[in-house]
């Protein structure tokens, strides 16, 4: 369910993702995302997701919990049970999340506090779907790191009520805060041939998430 891509920049990113053995999709509007997910992921599949404003904004998070799938829902558990769920997720059929940044060269950059999200994206679930608005596209990995430090981490720290320097000032202070939100990083440069098509990236022609 791909729609014609009018922007040369988006087309370039999609071609670069495909050249890196990831499957690229495009939709002009966020309100098309749920129908896309419904078409891509079979009913009854075991699914889970990482924390994501984009998944919430598009309605995909609610769709995962609609009863159509076997949903490993991280929002319903805590403590040791959450730790067990994070490990269960590795055998899911589909894992959904967003990207913190996608470069023009078709690389995906993710930052994480506990590393459960980047672990599942890089290994485990049979398929991964990353949904990202056009605001996540950056020229290169340097810009991706800058984007996370100057935009993603501060905004998410405020959203989650974390006491980090960036939540107060909007700037990264390379902190050692107990609430530090950016402890581990993942760069997906390319998928090996055997994993070709495991990772799907849905680019949406609107601004979504941070
Ligand atoms: S290192 Fe600390 S201040 Fe910098 S972005 Fe991460 S949480 Fe914010």
């Amino acid at each position: 369910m791909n729609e014609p891509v009018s922007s040369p920049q988006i087309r370039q990113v999609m071609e670069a993702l495909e050249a890196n053995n990831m499957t690229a999709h495009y939709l002009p509007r966020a309100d098309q995302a749920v129908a896309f997910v419904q078409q891509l992921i079979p009913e009854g599949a075991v699914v889970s997701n990482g924390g994501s404003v984009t998944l919430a904004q598009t309605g995909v998070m609610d769709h995962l919990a609609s009863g159509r799938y076997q949903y490993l829902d991280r929002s319903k558990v805590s403590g040791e049970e959450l730790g067990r769920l994070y490990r269960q997720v590795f055998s899911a059929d589909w894992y959904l999340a967003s990207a913190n940044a996608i470069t023009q060269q078709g690389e995906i950059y993710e930052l994480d506090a506990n590393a459960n999200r980047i672990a599942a994206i890089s290994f485990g679930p049979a398929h991964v779907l990353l949904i990202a608005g056009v605001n996540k596209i950056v020229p290169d990995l340097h810009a991706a790191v800058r984007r996370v430090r100057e935009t993603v981490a501060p905004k998410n720290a405020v959203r989650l009520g974390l006491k980090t320097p960036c939540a107060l000032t909007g700037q990264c202070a390379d902190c050692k805060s107990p609430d530090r939100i950016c402890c581990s990083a993942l760069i997906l440069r390319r998928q090996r041939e055997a994993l070709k098509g495991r990772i799907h990236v849905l680019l949406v022609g609107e601004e979504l998430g941070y």
Side-chain angles (χ1 to χ4, degrees):
M1 185 175 148
N2 275 339
E3 298 236 356
V5 182
S6 54
S7 153
Q9 185 203 31
I10 296 174
R11 196 174 305 118
Q12 185 193 327
V13 175
M14 291 178 73
E15 287 170 2
L17 287 165
E18 293 277 351
N20 289 338
N21 285 339
M22 294 179 256
T23 305
H25 309 267
Y26 173 73
L27 292 173
R29 302 192 322 271
D31 63 8
Q32 298 170 292
V34 169
F36 172 87
V37 169
Q38 196 164 342
Q39 199 170 63
L40 184 70
I41 302 181
E43 189 171 356
V46 178
V47 300
S48 194
N49 66 283
S52 165
V53 172
T54 297
L55 293 187
Q57 285 176 335
T58 51
V60 169
M61 199 99 84
D62 289 341
H63 178 64
L64 295 181
S66 65
R68 178 179 166 83
Y69 311 104
Q70 298 177 62
Y71 182 33
L72 303 176
D73 186 355
R74 63 205 283 275
S75 72
K76 296 282 190 296
V77 292
S78 59
E80 285 181 16
E81 220 183 321
L82 180 59
R84 275 197 294 278
L85 184 136
Y86 281 160
R87 286 168 183 78
Q88 244 185 307
V89 162
F90 288 121
S91 58
D93 298 314
W94 281 89
Y95 188 77
L96 288 83
S98 188
N100 293 136
I102 302 175
T103 73
Q104 291 281 165
Q105 293 75 40
E107 301 146 320
I108 293 164
Y109 186 66
E110 304 271 12
L111 236 95
D112 210 348
N114 295 317
N116 61 292
R117 180 173 59 95
I118 62 174
I121 290 171
S122 55
F123 178 80
H127 302 283
V128 173
L129 172 61
L130 304 174
I131 302 178
V134 284
N135 49 316
K136 303 289 181 76
I137 297 174
V138 295
D140 54 30
L141 284 171
H142 292 294
V145 172
R146 207 167 49 244
R147 177 172 205 286
V148 167
R149 289 181 153 220
E150 294 175 1
T151 304
V152 180
K155 287 192 171 178
N156 276 304
V158 169
R159 174 175 69 91
L160 298 168
L162 303 179
K163 294 180 175 51
T164 60
C166 61
L168 293 174
T169 66
Q171 292 295 318
C172 176
D174 198 15
C175 73
K176 291 190 170 24
S177 161
D179 279 350
R180 179 166 169 151
I181 197 170
C182 57
C183 295
S184 303
L186 171 69
I187 299 170
L188 292 176
R189 292 184 193 276
R190 181 176 173 76
Q191 296 293 286
R192 299 186 85 180
E193 295 301 319
L195 293 173
K196 189 171 181 174
R198 174 178 175 264
I199 294 190
H200 292 245
V201 180
L202 170 60
L203 290 168
V204 179
E206 292 181 15
E207 297 214 352
L208 291 167
Y210 307 138

